[in-house]
Amino acid sequence: MRQIDIIKMYASKKCLVIDDFPEMRGFIRRAVMLFGADSVDTASNGDEAIQKCDRNEYDIIFADYNLGDTSKNGQQILEELRYKNVLKNTAAYIMITAEATRDMVFSALEYQPDGYITKPFTQNALRARLDRIMLEKESVAEINKAIDDKEYELGITLCIKQLEDGSKYKGLLNRKLAGLYVSTERYREACALYKKVTSERPVEWAMIGLGKVLLLIGELESAETLFRKLISVGCNCMEVYDCLAEILRQKEMSEEAQATLSRALEISPLAIQRQKAYADISEHCGDLETAAKAHKSVVKLSPHSCYEEPENYFGYARSLSALMEGNSEADKKQLVEAQSVLKKVERRYPNNPQITLQTKLVESQVYASGKQDEKAKELMDKATVLYEKMDKNPDLEAAPEVMLEMAKTLLATGQNDDAQKMLKEIASRSEGDANMSKQLDKLSDEPLSKEGKSSAISLNKEGKKLFDAEDYTAAANFFAKGLVIFPNNIALNINMVFAYVKDADKNGVDKEIIERCKLSLKKVEHITEDHRLYSHYKNLENQVSRF
């Protein structure tokens, strides 16, 4: 393209420069105008930048990574623009920074800006980098517009035509075409294209794309092999770790999935969504300390993030509560920390009845775990009053999530019958919500969903086979794994204790195992004499007490 054509190209672009230093804003603004741009806006912080992007459609955005402690950073701006679908595929987002720390670099690059420039730089260096980015963008402008307009078939046609015409941007076009095949669920064509590209040269993006398609179509073994190979050769694209962790989770290899996310977070610790996933999988593995640390990181990363939500704070408070519950002497530091995070959520979400209610409920759980039963009951009583007022007001009907919190608190304060009634009510209001069904099954004495009931029955049957074969250790461990999924299930708790008791008779008493048995029996101590497992429970209670 001739120089005059490049100047004309810039003249048609609307630009935004985001930097907290006036001198740098001025420098970039003047430089871009010298390149030919007529319209160049500026913003000094993240909130101002988001507001301007909401009102205007920019073609080029320059964003400094570090915009001060009280502002979103450049990565969070990019994250939010994509989250809100404000940033078009036709636009270029260029990250600028004076820092080069490992955490920051991986964090910024993880969101794949179109360009990345490190300060200090000259006007000529900026021009060379920007020209290259914009010429590439212009070459696929029609394709990107088709993607923005969700006209994917048109995008596919345009990609194929340019490839047939011998465009010098073959790699970019193949990447766009493969992505469009995935968007239109033409997975066979996507696989074929990714394999063709990788057969010519082991291009990282194509290998990752192939792995993701294999994961989508359920070919877990092939996808796992590919992602493990990428990691072994030093691929630092964090998406590879996320995909491998998801495969391992689907294969019920939870501990290895946790280890995979841990390695990813060692490389790039500033990704809030990955920290959330790490907290969830750690809880699933029963690793409460690691879960609490991950939840703490989520809270730390929440301010200025588009993924900030009350649940981030509640999740951390609950994880601290779970840590206290497992200790014979509650840690006062954990109690103080939980109180602090709950005060923070009230400050960040004032005048919100749902949040106020949920805060009191979580706080009640925390005090119950901290062995402060009177304070837990006092907070529960206050929460109950708020809940009843809300339940009578059609404009303030409690959300299912708040009702779930109420059920958790009823369980924590020993009101099991009321909790089970609440869980059944939530189930009736949330039919078809698979995620809610899993949470309800986890809290209930007996699973409420059809899938949960089937899974619990299967787990008990498999464990009993090991028990009948007199492999009591394996049976107990199998029941214990089932309790990770259904921690309050009466049959699983009793069967696990029975297996451990038989194992103790055979191999001797283990103090840690006996403590686990006591906790399981405490979970089911509410069952009544008419329950089918009551006599079994009383018998086990006597045996464990003798140990």
Side-chain angles (χ1 to χ4, degrees):
M1 186 180 285
R2 295 175 305 165
Q3 192 62 40
I4 187 67
D5 295 323
I6 294 174
I7 293 171
K8 286 179 181 178
M9 175 185 70
Y10 283 120
S12 66
K13 305 300 179 189
K14 189 173 181 63
C15 309
L16 175 65
V17 179
I18 312 163
D19 200 295
D20 54 335
F21 286 100
E23 295 83 0
M24 182 54 68
R25 289 200 303 274
F27 167 73
I28 297 173
R29 183 175 185 276
R30 288 190 298 273
V32 177
M33 292 188 79
L34 281 172
F35 300 163
D38 291 328
S39 176
V40 185
D41 293 339
T42 62
S44 60
N45 59 64
D47 289 337
E48 184 184 0
I50 294 293
Q51 288 169 11
K52 289 195 171 183
C53 289
D54 284 339
R55 294 195 300 264
N56 301 282
E57 193 172 300
Y58 291 105
D59 303 297
I60 307 173
I61 298 175
F62 300 90
D64 189 23
Y65 180 85
N66 190 345
L67 296 167
D69 294 336
T70 60
S71 169
K72 298 177 190 292
N73 60 38
Q75 170 216 309
Q76 290 170 326
I77 294 170
L78 175 57
E79 185 180 57
E80 184 162 342
L81 294 178
R82 287 192 174 147
Y83 178 79
K84 295 164 71 175
N85 201 27
V86 171
L87 188 68
K88 302 295 184 183
N89 284 279
T90 50
Y93 192 98
I94 296 137
M95 196 84 76
I96 299 172
T97 183
E99 302 176 52
T101 64
R102 179 185 175 90
D103 289 358
M104 185 281 299
V105 170
F106 274 106
S107 177
L109 292 180
E110 193 166 344
Y111 289 90
Q112 299 180 7
D114 295 286
Y116 183 83
I117 305 175
T118 304
K119 297 175 184 175
F121 53 84
T122 63
Q123 182 175 297
N124 287 339
L126 177 63
R127 177 65 183 266
R129 181 70 61 86
L130 188 59
D131 280 358
R132 187 163 64 250
I133 291 167
M134 293 311 297
L135 287 171
E136 191 175 87
K137 279 280 180 184
E138 285 297 297
S139 72
V140 291
E142 288 185 20
I143 297 165
N144 280 333
K145 187 177 184 307
I147 295 169
D148 287 334
D149 295 338
K150 293 185 169 49
E151 295 182 4
Y152 300 132
E153 293 299 336
L154 173 60
I156 289 170
T157 301
L158 292 169
C159 281
I160 292 171
K161 185 176 186 309
Q162 285 201 37
L163 284 165
E164 288 173 347
D165 290 344
S167 169
K168 71 174 184 177
Y169 295 107
K170 180 183 175 182
L172 176 61
L173 288 165
N174 276 325
R175 191 170 186 173
K176 291 279 182 188
L177 180 56
L180 284 161
Y181 282 145
V182 174
S183 295
T184 52
E185 299 183 4
R186 291 161 65 173
Y187 300 130
R188 185 176 296 176
E189 285 116 314
C191 271
L193 182 53
Y194 283 131
K195 286 176 180 177
K196 179 175 180 292
V197 172
T198 54
S199 68
E200 295 171 359
R201 190 161 59 93
V203 183
E204 198 171 88
W205 64 260
M207 293 176 73
I208 294 169
L210 177 59
K212 287 169 70 177
V213 173
L214 291 170
L215 173 55
L216 279 170
I217 62 179
E219 293 188 19
L220 301 186
E221 297 300 331
S222 298
E224 181 182 349
T225 300
L226 191 51
F227 289 130
R228 287 190 185 280
K229 181 180 178 182
L230 282 162
I231 291 171
S232 71
V233 296
C235 173
N236 279 323
C237 177
M238 296 299 98
E239 200 173 14
V240 172
Y241 290 86
D242 293 336
C243 289
L244 178 57
E246 174 57 22
I247 290 166
L248 295 168
R249 187 194 64 78
Q250 288 188 31
K251 293 173 70 176
E252 298 184 0
M253 298 167 67
S254 301
E255 287 82 4
E256 197 171 345
Q258 182 194 26
T260 300
L261 289 178
S262 177
R263 290 198 299 273
L265 287 166
E266 285 172 11
I267 300 167
S268 180
L270 304 181
I272 187 171
Q273 293 295 82
R274 185 173 301 113
Q275 289 284 5
K276 285 184 181 182
Y278 188 45
D280 288 344
I281 196 70
S282 297
E283 285 175 351
H284 187 75
C285 293
D287 186 351
L288 301 181
E289 286 191 16
T290 300
K293 287 176 184 176
H295 278 298
K296 185 176 183 178
S297 295
V298 171
V299 168
K300 187 177 178 181
L301 293 167
S302 285
H304 311 306
S305 170
C306 59
Y307 294 109
E308 181 180 27
E309 58 182 355
E311 183 55 34
N312 295 355
Y313 300 91
F314 292 137
Y316 182 33
R318 284 194 217 98
S319 70
L320 292 168
S321 178
L323 277 176
M324 288 190 286
E325 190 177 1
N327 294 330
S328 54
E329 293 185 10
D331 190 326
K332 288 183 179 178
K333 287 183 180 178
Q334 291 167 347
L335 180 59
V336 170
E337 177 72 1
Q339 289 170 323
S340 173
V341 77
L342 290 171
K343 284 177 182 175
K344 189 179 288 185
V345 76
E346 282 191 309
R347 287 195 303 269
R348 295 194 74 82
Y349 300 92
N351 306 316
N352 187 319
Q354 303 264 6
I355 301 301
T356 301
L357 171 56
Q358 198 165 359
T359 301
K360 291 196 182 305
L361 290 168
V362 176
E363 193 173 6
S364 177
Q365 294 169 42
V366 168
Y367 276 106
S369 297
K371 315 296 187 292
Q372 297 189 32
D373 295 338
E374 286 187 19
K375 184 67 176 175
K377 185 179 183 307
E378 178 190 330
L379 286 161
M380 183 60 192
D381 290 343
K382 287 180 180 178
T384 302
V385 171
L386 287 173
Y387 179 79
E388 287 172 352
K389 283 182 180 177
M390 194 176 288
D391 208 39
K392 290 173 184 175
N393 187 340
D395 296 327
L396 287 175
E397 184 179 12
E401 292 77 14
V402 177
M403 294 176 69
L404 187 68
E405 204 71 70
M406 175 68 85
K408 289 177 183 177
T409 312
L410 288 166
L411 286 169
T413 53
Q415 301 173 69
N416 189 78
D417 289 346
D418 291 336
Q420 298 304 320
K421 287 177 186 174
M422 177 70 73
L423 291 169
K424 287 173 183 175
E425 185 180 346
I426 300 167
S428 68
R429 293 190 188 187
S430 309
E431 285 186 34
D433 186 335
N435 183 51
M436 180 59 76
S437 291
K438 284 182 182 178
Q439 293 185 70
L440 295 173
D441 288 343
K442 193 167 187 175
L443 292 171
S444 300
D445 285 347
E446 306 288 346
L448 298 174
S449 72
K450 184 179 178 181
E451 293 77 12
K453 287 174 183 175
S454 175
S455 178
I457 290 169
S458 177
L459 285 166
N460 274 306
K461 278 184 178 178
E462 290 300 314
K464 284 177 181 176
K465 284 180 184 177
L466 293 167
F467 186 93
D468 292 340
E470 297 186 8
D471 190 348
Y472 301 125
T473 303
N477 290 336
F478 191 86
F479 289 129
K481 284 185 178 180
L483 285 169
V484 172
I485 306 168
F486 305 113
N488 294 332
N489 186 270
I490 293 171
L492 283 170
N493 275 290
I494 287 177
N495 286 334
M496 184 193 76
V497 175
F498 191 25
Y500 276 136
V501 167
K502 296 292 284 185
D503 187 57
D505 289 339
K506 187 176 179 181
N507 299 313
V509 176
D510 183 301
K511 187 178 178 181
E512 189 178 324
I513 293 297
I514 295 307
E515 287 303 313
R516 184 185 292 186
C517 289
K518 288 178 179 177
L519 283 172
S520 275
L521 290 174
K522 186 171 178 58
K523 281 184 181 179
V524 300
E525 65 182 357
H526 58 275
I527 64 174
T528 55
E529 291 184 16
D530 60 346
H531 194 283
R532 61 187 175 84
L533 294 174
Y534 180 76
S535 60
H536 200 27
Y537 157 72
K538 292 303 289 184
N539 186 33
L540 287 171
E541 188 180 43
N542 290 331
Q543 291 185 65
V544 170
S545 65
R546 287 204 305 274
F547 290 132

